[in-house]
Amino acid sequence: MAEGKKLVIVESPTKMKSIQGYLGDGYEVLSSVGHIRDLADKKSIPADKKEAYGKYSIDIDNGFDPYYVESERGKKTVAELKRALKGADELLLATDEDREGEAIAWHLLQTLKPKVPVKRMVFHEITKDAIQAAVGNTRELDLALVDAQETRRILDRLYGWDVSPVLWYKVQQGTSAGRVQSAATRMVVDRERERMAFVSASYWDIEALAAPNRPQGLDESFSTRLARVDGAVLARGTDFDDRGELKKAVLVLDEAQVRELAAAIEAAAEASVTALESKPGTRSPKPPFTTSTLQQEAGRKLSMSAKHAMGVAQRLYEKGFITYMRTDSTALSTQAVQAAREQAVTLYGAQSVPLNPRTYRNNSKNAQEAHEAIRPSGETFRTPSTVSGELDRDELRLYDLIWKRTMASQMADAKYETTTVTLEVTAGGRRAEFTASGTVYTFKGFLEAYEEGRDEKRSDADKSDDQSLPAMAVGDVLRLREVEPKGHSTSPKPRYTEASLVKALEEKGIGRPSTFASIIDVIINRGYVTKRGQALIPSWLAFSVVRLLEQHFADLVDYDFTAALEDDLDAIARGEQKRQDWLQEFYFGSTDHVGLRNIVDNLGEIDARALNSTPIGDVATLRFGKYGPYLEVPDAADPAGEPRRVNIPEDLAPDELTPAKAQELIDAPVAGDRVLGENPANGKLVVVKDGRFGPYVQEADPPAAEEVDEATGEVVVVEQEPAPKKRGAKKEVAPKPRTASLFKSMSVDTIDLDTALKLLDLPRTVGIDPDTEAPITAQNGRYGPYLKKGTDSRTLQSEQQIFDITLEEALAVYAQPKYGARGASSALKEFEADPTSGKPIKLKDGRFGPYVTDGETNATIPRGEDAMEVTFERAVQLLADKRAKGPAKRPAARRTTTRKPAAKK
């Protein structure tokens, strides 16, 4: 680094190039690549520190002092930063302006120990004006923000390391607990419990098409619904509670009554207009995006997971297209408001904006730092069409969403008029009243640009689609046709989606919006939650985990308590509460709070069997074992005997396991155990079975021969006389029967003997390589079908190729570069050099999917991203993230001991 330059440290390598260009030659911009250090693991604590820091890497008896260590990647980064710092006359810490960014800046300061002036540089967007303005408006490091982030980190370590081991021993190895993840898991489980306890109620009504009684009337038909009979209001779904009982006095008609009434109405064929009411209304736009609302809307409209949406937003921010994407603020800067209003006028006309600019109040319970809302960057917004060539598909879709939302937030209210008509018909001696509503927008306003999506609601079935109504007047007679009885059943609350769970977490004040994406990712990866379409379904494992936490750690999964922790962290961030005092009370307790340590030390006995058991009516008990959930069914003939176990289909949601469904599973014939025939090569029977790990075929010895005693008619089993054993000979271990898993395309119901024999004979020798004389085999593995020649393996395209591929075809596969025929290079794409390693980056297709590599670090392309749309900036970010994680930990080698021979007596 040249003498006299200023060193700027940012978090991400992707930002370096842009910011360097904006600042010029007087600055050198380098990246910390995220965190350079973290709490140590137990192996990294020196011997002389073990007593104080050994359990948590935190000295809980001396002010909760944390013990930090640099990661392997962090050591390399720190060395590079120290070299650059030697020639600098000033250090600018330009990490993100949130609590985590402030903590990263503090860690850099603690580690680098600079002897030059240090300033904190912050910006909300990566544009030339914003970066140059940030250099001229630096501030001091905010130690209150650092304290809040460090408290959060220590709190999460204490919580996780004290509670998770209880789950390992009482539920399942590999389970974990966390301050926010446990509350989020409980929310998903609670919603499923509500669905399981729900009792459906049925109700009937009538729908009909009405049309004016004039020549062109049929073209003006509109839908109506029966609302009242003889003045009594007809029941709707919202009139029933979750027990299937009515909440108020309304009329409930059964099917027979409704069909009789419908027939009479159809015979009458006409109805008169008895009431016509029109009401004007307005709709206001939603505020610009915060982190939470962006995740919700990206889920609703783009089907993006919260994690995926945040990853795409991160790329847009680092490329300079949007402002900082971790924010609770709905405020826009003066220049952003002006940009939105001017662009709205240009695109939609002067009437599209209100007289005065709109301002929005932040309704977030725990609003954090005063950032701007998420919006397009710059003083003039670039339209999606003008940036389409610079962004990949997902980046463009998300940018389009952000641009539209920002534009709409500064536009005029939409104006509409809703007309409600009441039709009356006398039929079968009863007076039936139908109603219909229609909405017409008289001024679209912000709807020209954008309309917010909505989550599914349980009352949606009672709502009719918006429709336009023809001109009518009270007293008009309308024709009725297509009179149709409609039966309905009430529905339970819909399951959470990622979008609605994010919304619920924010409403309850649990966690920070910037962490929601990672929290949802954790509970999915832990197996607590699975996705069916967009719905989040809890596993039975989650039920066991939540049950343990509710029974023995009630405070820790209490929603109000968890939200209160966020309030306390906010108070620390504002400097209103001391970090050490708060941690002391949380961990050791006080007169108002039991304390985590006291809870853990006084757990008492935990009945693991009861914890992992759920009665399914009187039919069976669901238990969660080592290999997952199953039904335990007592033997009616021998209640004290060994109960029968019945597997539960993997795709069966907890609320679908009713007593009736459990009985159906119990009564179903056992899949598999079907004899396919005899193996002509060895005389053994070939049987297909359905096991805990999937269907498979197996060889079995034929049953012993039978003879019938002619005198008595008794069946006698003929046993072969065993060969005499030699004295002192070791007991022979019976050979294990040959088994083979079925291919994914096969079924236990349709597999035949020939196919089963082919499976049992795998791996199949395709032939001999004429160059190396090594055999080439085709076989199936954990990651799919493949060829193997010595230690060189190649992926096959389908399982059927295992049986069909010829030697010539196999040799052709091996003649190609590994991982696919890519010509001279096996790379799908090649980029310029990585800013960290200095080596060119390549996009490749590997056995486990596409990945980017610089020759030193490999980073897998996340599921859901199109590999061919990966850009240089995205590749750099993926490699940086992988380096930040450090090398993958390999399992410890298994120790073997050699048993010494017993001493001779």
Side-chain angles (χ1 to χ4, degrees):
M1 182 172 183
E3 292 292 332
K5 280 193 174 184
K6 301 180 191 300
L7 176 61
V8 180
I9 302 178
V10 297
E11 284 183 39
S12 166
T14 313
K15 301 178 187 177
M16 289 167 47
K17 192 173 181 180
S18 297
I19 295 176
Q20 182 70 70
Y22 295 146
L23 292 177
D25 295 336
Y27 296 82
E28 182 176 6
V29 184
L30 294 177
S31 167
S32 71
V33 198
H35 287 276
I36 57 169
R37 64 178 190 169
D38 195 5
L39 289 173
D41 58 30
K42 293 179 181 179
K43 295 179 182 177
S44 303
I45 300 174
D48 61 333
K49 304 277 188 182
K50 287 282 186 185
E51 185 175 350
Y53 296 93
K55 186 173 181 181
Y56 308 102
S57 303
I58 299 164
D59 188 349
I60 60 174
D61 296 319
N62 290 287
F64 294 87
D65 182 49
Y67 188 83
Y68 292 108
V69 293
E70 295 166 18
S71 64
E72 289 303 313
R73 193 269 310 154
K75 290 176 183 177
K76 182 179 177 182
T77 301
V78 168
E80 293 172 354
L81 294 176
K82 283 184 174 179
R83 280 195 296 270
L85 189 58
K86 286 180 181 177
D89 61 10
E90 189 174 87
L91 174 62
L92 294 169
L93 298 173
T95 51
D96 294 338
E97 195 192 9
D98 56 15
R99 293 175 189 174
E100 188 170 12
E102 206 76 12
I104 291 173
W106 178 78
H107 281 288
L108 286 167
L109 200 59
Q110 297 294 306
T111 305
L112 297 177
K113 296 181 172 56
K115 295 181 173 61
V116 296
V118 179
K119 296 178 180 178
R120 181 77 167 95
M121 170 183 164
V122 293
F123 44 86
H124 302 311
E125 59 185 8
I126 303 176
T127 59
K128 185 175 182 179
D129 290 344
I131 297 302
Q132 291 181 347
V135 171
N137 292 278
T138 57
R139 62 168 172 80
E140 296 296 317
L141 198 67
D142 190 333
L143 294 179
L145 289 183
V146 175
D147 270 352
Q149 182 62 26
E150 294 302 284
T151 304
R152 181 188 302 276
R153 184 70 188 93
I154 293 169
L155 162 65
D156 289 343
R157 171 62 65 92
L158 296 172
Y159 187 122
W161 283 30
D162 264 351
V163 181
S164 294
V166 182
L167 297 177
W168 302 343
Y169 295 122
K170 298 300 181 180
V171 179
Q172 189 183 76
Q173 283 290 328
T175 49
S176 69
R179 180 177 52 88
V180 181
Q181 87 173 52
S182 296
T185 302
R186 183 189 170 195
M187 288 176 68
V188 179
V189 168
D190 279 349
R191 178 57 55 87
E192 196 74 5
R193 286 168 171 169
E194 290 180 275
R195 292 175 63 88
M196 294 167 75
F198 177 77
V199 178
S200 182
S202 62
Y203 59 98
W204 284 77
D205 59 20
I206 299 173
E207 291 182 6
L209 288 180
N213 197 1
R214 47 182 176 252
Q216 72 276 21
L218 288 179
D219 296 333
E220 300 175 297
S221 297
F222 58 94
S223 178
T224 67
R225 178 178 285 184
L226 183 65
R228 290 177 289 275
V229 176
D230 295 330
V233 177
L234 209 62
R236 292 281 178 263
T238 52
D239 296 326
F240 296 89
D241 62 20
D242 286 349
R243 298 184 301 277
E245 299 174 359
L246 285 170
K247 296 186 287 186
K248 60 182 180 179
V250 290
L251 177 64
V252 181
L253 299 179
D254 60 29
E255 181 178 1
Q257 292 172 309
V258 167
R259 290 195 180 279
E260 180 183 352
L261 182 58
I265 292 171
E266 193 159 29
E270 290 183 340
S272 58
V273 178
T274 58
L276 194 64
E277 184 181 16
S278 294
K279 287 184 177 180
T282 59
R283 284 180 61 186
S284 298
K286 294 292 183 180
F289 280 131
T290 62
T291 301
S292 169
T293 54
L294 177 64
Q295 292 173 16
Q296 293 172 48
E297 197 72 340
R300 296 187 195 110
K301 290 198 168 182
L302 307 181
S303 297
M304 286 186 181
S305 68
K307 181 181 179 181
H308 187 191
M310 290 304 291
V312 176
Q314 177 86 31
R315 302 202 304 266
L316 287 171
Y317 166 65
E318 291 177 348
K319 288 181 176 182
F321 286 94
I322 64 171
T323 53
Y324 191 54
M325 70 290 162
R326 292 189 178 91
T327 175
D328 297 323
S329 176
T330 55
L332 291 176
S333 65
T334 302
Q335 72 171 21
V337 170
Q338 187 65 26
R341 287 172 62 87
E342 289 178 356
Q343 200 163 62
V345 170
T346 301
L347 294 173
Y348 307 113
Q351 76 283 359
S352 66
V353 296
L355 184 62
N356 297 313
R358 291 185 182 274
T359 57
Y360 294 94
R361 293 183 61 187
N362 196 330
N363 294 321
S364 175
K365 183 178 178 181
N366 291 316
Q368 202 172 298
E369 298 78 27
H371 295 161
E372 215 180 332
I374 303 170
R375 63 165 177 88
S377 59
E379 293 184 4
T380 303
F381 296 162
R382 290 168 283 183
T383 61
S385 60
T386 62
V387 301
S388 58
E390 304 173 65
L391 302 176
D392 64 33
R393 177 175 176 270
D394 282 346
E395 290 168 352
L396 182 60
R397 293 165 71 213
L398 195 65
Y399 180 81
D400 180 70
L401 198 67
I402 294 168
W403 177 81
K404 287 178 177 176
R405 176 84 166 217
T406 309
M407 292 287 296
S409 73
Q410 288 303 313
M411 292 175 66
D413 288 345
K415 297 179 181 179
Y416 62 88
E417 189 173 79
T418 298
T419 301
T420 302
V421 61
T422 302
L423 309 177
E424 184 177 305
V425 56
T426 300
R430 308 192 76 172
R431 179 167 55 91
E433 293 177 86
F434 287 79
T435 60
S437 292
T439 298
V440 176
Y441 279 90
T442 55
F443 175 68
K444 295 203 72 173
F446 74 92
L447 294 176
E448 294 278 8
Y450 174 83
E451 183 172 9
E452 186 180 51
R454 57 187 297 274
D455 295 316
E456 177 193 359
K457 294 184 178 179
R458 64 198 303 189
S459 59
D460 286 352
D462 290 333
K463 293 183 178 179
S464 58
D465 295 332
D466 282 342
Q467 57 185 333
S468 59
L469 300 181
M472 292 175 284
V474 173
D476 285 356
V477 176
L478 275 61
R479 287 178 287 178
L480 292 180
R481 59 190 178 87
E482 296 184 25
V483 181
E484 185 178 357
K486 290 281 188 178
H488 307 275
S489 295
T490 56
S491 58
K493 291 180 181 178
R495 291 190 177 95
Y496 284 113
T497 62
E498 289 200 27
S500 60
L501 182 58
V502 164
K503 183 178 181 181
L505 287 168
E506 185 179 39
E507 287 174 347
K508 290 181 180 294
I510 295 172
R512 302 247 34 103
S514 59
T515 66
F516 290 159
S518 61
I519 290 300
I520 293 174
D521 195 47
V522 165
I523 65 176
I524 290 174
N525 290 337
R526 291 288 184 189
Y528 297 155
V529 171
T530 57
K531 293 184 74 172
R532 181 188 290 177
Q534 295 295 311
L536 299 177
I537 302 176
S539 64
W540 288 108
L541 171 62
F543 276 75
S544 294
V545 167
V546 169
R547 189 180 292 132
L548 184 148
L549 294 174
E550 287 175 332
Q551 292 177 4
H552 301 280
F553 298 93
D555 276 357
L556 300 185
V557 288
D558 179 79
Y559 300 135
D560 291 337
F561 176 78
T562 308
L565 295 183
E566 294 296 340
D567 292 335
D568 292 340
L569 291 170
D570 288 337
I572 294 171
R574 295 190 298 268
E576 298 169 1
Q577 197 158 354
K578 297 296 184 183
R579 162 176 148 182
Q580 292 184 9
D581 295 343
W582 187 89
L583 285 169
Q584 180 78 20
E585 180 177 346
F586 170 80
Y587 193 69
F588 290 109
S590 65
T591 54
D592 301 322
H593 176 58
V594 177
L596 178 61
R597 181 66 171 270
N598 294 327
I599 295 173
V600 174
D601 289 347
N602 296 282
L603 280 176
E605 289 297 319
I606 298 177
D607 187 341
R609 183 172 177 80
L611 193 70
N612 294 292
S613 301
T614 304
I616 308 297
D618 297 328
V619 176
T621 300
L622 181 136
R623 299 202 189 279
F624 193 88
K626 184 178 180 181
Y627 301 109
Y630 61 90
L631 289 176
E632 191 174 85
V633 187
D635 185 345
D638 183 14
E642 186 70 19
R644 177 185 161 203
R645 291 186 173 189
V646 177
N647 288 342
I648 297 173
E650 288 185 7
D651 59 350
L652 190 69
D655 77 325
E656 295 166 356
L657 186 60
T658 61
K661 182 63 178 178
Q663 191 63 56
E664 179 186 325
L665 294 173
I666 294 166
D667 296 339
V670 178
D673 294 285
R674 181 166 63 90
V675 177
L676 301 177
E678 183 180 294
N679 186 345
N682 55 24
K684 292 182 178 290
L685 296 180
V686 179
V687 182
V688 61
K689 301 185 175 187
D690 193 4
R692 186 170 291 277
F693 302 107
Y696 64 99
V697 290
Q698 184 179 67
E699 286 184 333
D701 290 323
E706 297 178 346
E707 289 184 1
V708 178
D709 187 322
E710 294 181 0
T712 64
E714 181 182 0
V715 177
V716 180
V717 178
V718 180
E719 300 280 0
Q720 289 188 352
E721 187 174 335
K725 291 183 180 180
K726 295 180 181 179
R727 188 173 181 182
K730 290 184 178 179
K731 183 179 179 180
E732 293 185 5
V733 179
K736 291 184 177 180
R738 290 199 303 164
T739 61
S741 296
L742 269 61
F743 290 173
K744 293 177 181 177
S745 58
M746 299 175 181
S747 166
V748 292
D749 299 321
T750 58
I751 190 171
D752 56 28
L753 177 61
D754 289 341
T755 306
L757 291 175
K758 288 181 181 180
L759 290 172
L760 289 168
D761 288 338
L762 293 178
R764 166 181 164 251
T765 301
V766 178
I768 304 297
D769 184 342
D771 294 333
T772 64
E773 297 186 354
I776 300 175
T777 59
Q779 50 197 300
N780 213 9
R782 180 180 178 187
Y783 301 105
Y786 65 100
L787 293 172
K788 189 173 184 181
K789 180 178 67 173
T791 59
D792 190 2
S793 60
R794 300 297 174 92
T795 301
L796 292 175
Q797 299 302 311
S798 69
E799 293 173 321
Q800 188 59 36
Q801 281 186 290
I802 296 174
F803 296 150
D804 298 344
I805 194 168
T806 64
L807 177 59
E808 290 74 21
E809 291 169 338
L811 292 173
V813 172
Y814 275 102
Q816 301 295 339
K818 196 164 186 178
Y819 305 131
R822 309 290 180 195
S825 171
S826 61
L828 302 174
K829 272 186 179 182
E830 295 188 8
F831 302 105
E832 57 188 281
D834 180 82
T836 300
S837 67
K839 296 183 178 181
I841 300 174
K842 295 181 180 181
L843 170 68
K844 294 188 174 185
D845 189 12
R847 184 174 177 185
F848 308 121
Y851 66 100
V852 289
T853 179
D854 63 351
E856 295 179 354
T857 304
N858 297 341
T860 302
I861 306 300
R863 186 178 299 174
E865 288 191 32
D866 187 338
M868 297 308 295
E869 293 186 0
V870 169
T871 61
F872 169 68
E873 292 79 7
R874 178 59 174 153
V876 170
Q877 183 64 53
L878 288 169
L879 290 171
D881 292 344
K882 185 62 183 290
R883 292 189 196 101
K885 292 180 180 178
K889 294 183 179 180
R890 297 185 178 182
R894 198 173 188 177
R895 293 186 178 182
T896 58
T897 56
T898 304
R899 182 176 292 178
K900 295 182 180 180
K904 293 183 179 180
K905 294 182 180 179

